[in-house]
Amino acid sequence: MKTSTWIGLTAVALATLTAVGYGAWTVGMNAGMSMATPQGAPADAGAATPSTQDPSGWTITQGFEATERHMREGLKAGDVDPMTGLKILNYHDPMVPGKNFDAPGKSPFMDMLLVPRYAGGGAADTGGVSVSARVQQNLGLRTVAVTEGQLDSAVSVVGNVAWNERDQVLVSARALGFVERLHVRAAQDRVAKGAPLADIYVPSWVAAQEEYLAVARMAEQDPQLVSLRDAAAQRMRQAGMSPVQIDRVVNSGSLQPRFTLTAPLDGVVTELMVSEGATVMPGMALLRLQGTGTVWAEGQVPESQAAQLTTGASVSATSPAAPGQTFTGRLQALLPSVDPATRTIKARLELANPQGRLVPGMFVQMRFANPDARQVLLLPSDAVIHTGQRSVVMLAEGDGRFSPVEVRTGREAGDQTEILQGLQLGQKVVRSGQFLIDSEASLNGFLARLSPPTEAAMDKAAAMPEKAGAVSPTAHQTPAKVKAVDGDTVTLNHPAIPALKWPAMTMDFRLPPADQRPKHLSAGQSVQIEFEMRDGDVPQITRIEPRTAATGAKR
């Protein structure tokens, strides 16, 4: 009896413990589910919440996969990738840095897909840097947009005024005579057009005039003598008298033993070669007159700017001797000679001088009209960092992200620089504080990856172990197998290169000069190469040596 009672009590105790344990387990599960499920969310275990991915840790292969997905889903630059939650900035070829594309697709340089670059991604751009809004304010960062307009590339030169030699007149004697009076006493005297210069007595003209007057009086009485009168007038012309002087004799009916030389133009007597009482011979130079209506200005134009100028181009000039007055003119000629010391070409300009205020020796500042008025991309010159080998700007990508972009610059005028390649209209770049971002982003290292290797780097590379990886900041080594040779390009199959995050692939390389490569390079041959990256081109091989197929050692 006691035994059965003990067994019954034991069974009741076990049942009680089992019930209590089950109840505790049920309460714990319910509490755990209530904590795991957000308030208001359905308790359906099949409704999983999607999570975004961080592209900063992606490999190139994952980048290829993302590009394929973007092509399937129709995504492009400017869209938000639903898998990462980040805005797509552009697409690039990781083996050809500096070239960006707006749409996903195949690289025009390699037989591979492009890789997306995201805004705000930690590894979106290894040459860039993120700067918070507070730090931007502390640094005083200012950005400016790339604009389109006409570059004020007007050419300015300085020069000196000279007489226009094409406005010179040489006054000479037309017959044997004597200078009875000079109306001009000294050189540099100004004269007006038609003003008297000198009175000259010509004895031979007196005889011709007397003959004409005698025949003319007889012709008035006998009309048959008219032919003789015309012959006498012809003899006066042969003696050297001008039509004006002959008309004076005919109209007055009296002798004109002396005649007066007059100025043919307004100008200055630059040379006086006779004096009163002197005897003059036919053709003898008496004085030289220089017109002042126009003057020459001769300036030195740099030979780099001379190509922008054309004959006849408009020009304006100012002079300290005539403050507030602007003289207009045109380019008469670019003289066919270059000063070897200053590398300049002499430009001869013709300036209007209506009041005669410009005289030889005066200093003038000349400015040619803009010879090229086409629309170009413009950027303030202080926004461009010139490294000596290339020009770089700090591109503002948004969300506090900045990255260096190599640009190709053109002409520069004032504080504006023409951008030929590397930027698009409307993009923003850093104008002030870019050197601080340059230091923060280690831009020098970024540029080093694009620069040719130095001789020291090549020597260091030669001493490095021969395996796939980085040799220097600019050179890399890897074993490879030749697939094809086409001129200066070789197609190689190489293993993964961790330093560049390259997977194993087949791609093209640029061969070194013929004297620096194996003579019989052919498909199937194993080689050891050293190469460097080139902006906008396939990698350049700087050293290539054959290897044995069995051991992989160099020959």
Side-chain angles (χ1 to χ4, degrees):
M1 184 68 181
K2 293 182 179 179
T3 304
S4 61
T5 302
W6 181 84
I7 295 173
L9 291 174
T10 302
V12 171
L14 289 174
T16 302
L17 289 175
T18 302
V20 171
Y22 177 76
W25 176 81
T26 303
V27 171
M29 286 297 294
N30 291 335
M33 290 297 294
S34 64
M35 294 177 62
T37 304
Q39 186 175 2
D44 184 6
T49 302
S51 60
T52 59
Q53 296 184 10
D54 182 7
S56 61
W58 282 0
T59 63
I60 291 184
T61 302
Q62 291 175 304
F64 294 158
E65 295 173 353
T67 301
E68 292 178 344
R69 180 171 50 81
H70 293 179
M71 295 171 64
R72 291 193 304 269
E73 299 177 1
L75 299 178
K76 61 183 183 304
D79 297 338
V80 176
D81 187 349
M83 179 171 289
T84 63
L86 300 176
K87 181 181 178 180
I88 304 171
L89 293 178
N90 49 54
Y91 297 84
H92 69 287
D93 188 332
M95 281 170 279
V96 185
K99 302 297 181 181
N100 301 326
F101 304 90
D102 294 331
K106 188 175 180 180
S107 170
F109 310 107
M110 305 290 180
D111 186 16
M112 57 187 288
L113 291 175
L114 300 173
V115 175
R117 180 183 283 118
Y118 296 92
D125 188 351
T126 56
V129 65
S130 294
V131 183
S132 66
R134 181 180 61 83
V135 175
Q136 291 184 41
Q137 184 176 5
N138 293 338
L139 294 178
L141 293 184
R142 291 188 296 113
T143 60
V144 62
V146 180
T147 60
E148 187 177 41
Q150 297 180 2
L151 185 67
D152 184 14
S153 57
V155 180
S156 297
V157 297
V158 296
N160 296 316
V161 176
W163 288 128
N164 185 351
E165 296 180 3
R166 296 179 181 178
D167 283 346
Q168 284 187 357
V169 176
L170 184 65
V171 180
S172 59
R174 305 184 66 178
L176 176 64
F178 307 96
V179 178
E180 290 189 342
R181 181 184 178 186
L182 279 176
H183 296 275
V184 179
R185 294 292 182 176
Q188 303 301 325
D189 284 353
R190 289 183 177 270
V191 296
K193 184 178 181 179
L197 300 176
D199 294 336
I200 300 178
Y201 178 80
V202 183
S204 60
W205 288 4
V206 174
Q209 293 176 29
E210 288 178 342
E211 180 183 359
Y212 172 80
L213 293 175
V215 174
R217 285 191 292 268
M218 291 186 296
E220 292 177 357
Q221 299 176 1
D222 187 356
Q224 296 180 354
L225 299 178
V226 173
S227 58
L228 293 178
R229 184 191 63 187
D230 294 340
Q234 181 66 25
R235 279 191 288 274
M236 286 192 296
R237 284 191 290 269
Q238 292 175 351
M241 295 178 65
S242 66
V244 175
Q245 294 165 345
I246 294 174
D247 291 342
R248 189 178 301 123
V249 173
V250 173
N251 295 332
S252 65
S254 60
L255 290 175
Q256 303 290 328
R258 59 187 55 81
F259 72 97
T260 302
L261 288 175
T262 58
L265 48 77
D266 296 331
V268 176
V269 178
T270 57
E271 190 175 0
L272 183 62
M273 292 166 272
V274 295
S275 58
E276 288 186 354
T279 301
V280 296
M281 305 298 291
M284 178 180 174
L286 305 180
L287 50 86
R288 191 186 305 273
L289 284 179
Q290 174 63 56
T292 58
T294 60
V295 293
W296 282 349
E298 296 181 344
Q300 303 293 334
V301 179
E303 60 179 346
S304 60
Q305 297 180 337
Q308 303 179 28
L309 304 180
T310 57
T311 302
S314 300
V315 64
S316 59
T318 57
S319 174
Q325 185 173 358
T326 300
F327 302 89
T328 59
R330 63 183 182 88
L331 175 62
Q332 191 177 86
L334 288 172
L335 303 187
S337 62
V338 177
D339 188 334
T342 60
R343 307 308 305 173
T344 55
I345 299 176
K346 181 177 288 188
R348 177 179 293 167
L349 301 96
E350 184 178 301
L351 301 177
N353 189 30
Q355 300 177 357
R357 300 189 66 177
L358 296 178
V359 296
M362 281 187 176
F363 176 83
V364 289
Q365 176 78 32
M366 297 166 287
R367 182 180 177 87
F368 293 88
N370 190 351
D372 189 358
R374 58 189 173 90
Q375 295 288 324
V376 296
L377 294 181
L378 299 177
L379 198 63
S381 299
D382 54 3
V384 182
I385 303 174
H386 298 284
T387 67
Q389 295 181 343
R390 54 181 51 83
S391 300
V392 179
V393 299
M394 298 304 301
L395 179 65
E397 299 178 342
D399 299 330
R401 184 73 182 174
F402 302 90
S403 63
V405 174
E406 182 179 349
V407 296
R408 187 161 63 91
T409 60
R411 298 164 299 161
E412 183 175 355
D415 63 345
Q416 295 289 314
T417 296
E418 178 184 6
I419 302 299
L420 300 177
Q421 187 179 1
L423 293 175
Q424 297 178 356
L425 180 64
Q427 287 185 309
K428 291 186 177 181
V429 300
V430 180
R431 183 173 185 178
S432 65
Q434 67 269 42
F435 291 98
L436 298 176
I437 302 179
D438 173 9
S439 176
E440 183 68 19
S442 300
L443 181 59
N444 291 333
F446 170 77
L447 294 177
R449 292 196 297 271
L450 305 180
S451 305
T454 61
E455 183 176 353
M458 294 296 293
D459 294 340
K460 182 179 178 181
M464 293 290 288
E466 297 183 4
K467 62 180 181 179
V471 178
S472 72
T474 61
H476 306 273
Q477 281 192 356
T478 182
K481 188 172 184 179
V482 179
K483 291 296 184 181
V485 179
D486 184 10
D488 292 335
T489 303
V490 60
T491 303
L492 300 176
N493 178 268
H494 64 78
I497 303 179
L500 295 174
K501 297 183 179 180
W502 286 5
M505 67 177 77
T506 300
M507 57 183 291
D508 291 340
F509 290 82
R510 190 79 63 196
L511 284 169
D515 57 346
Q516 300 178 17
R517 53 179 145 164
K519 295 183 179 179
H520 304 291
L521 192 63
S522 59
Q525 190 173 3
S526 296
V527 294
Q528 178 75 22
I529 65 169
E530 180 180 294
F531 66 94
E532 61 187 28
M533 302 303 298
R534 290 295 173 89
D535 186 20
D537 199 359
V538 298
Q540 173 68 55
I541 296 178
T542 57
R543 188 178 63 177
I544 178 170
E545 297 179 357
R547 296 168 57 88
T548 60
T551 64
K554 291 192 305 180
R555 291 178 182 176

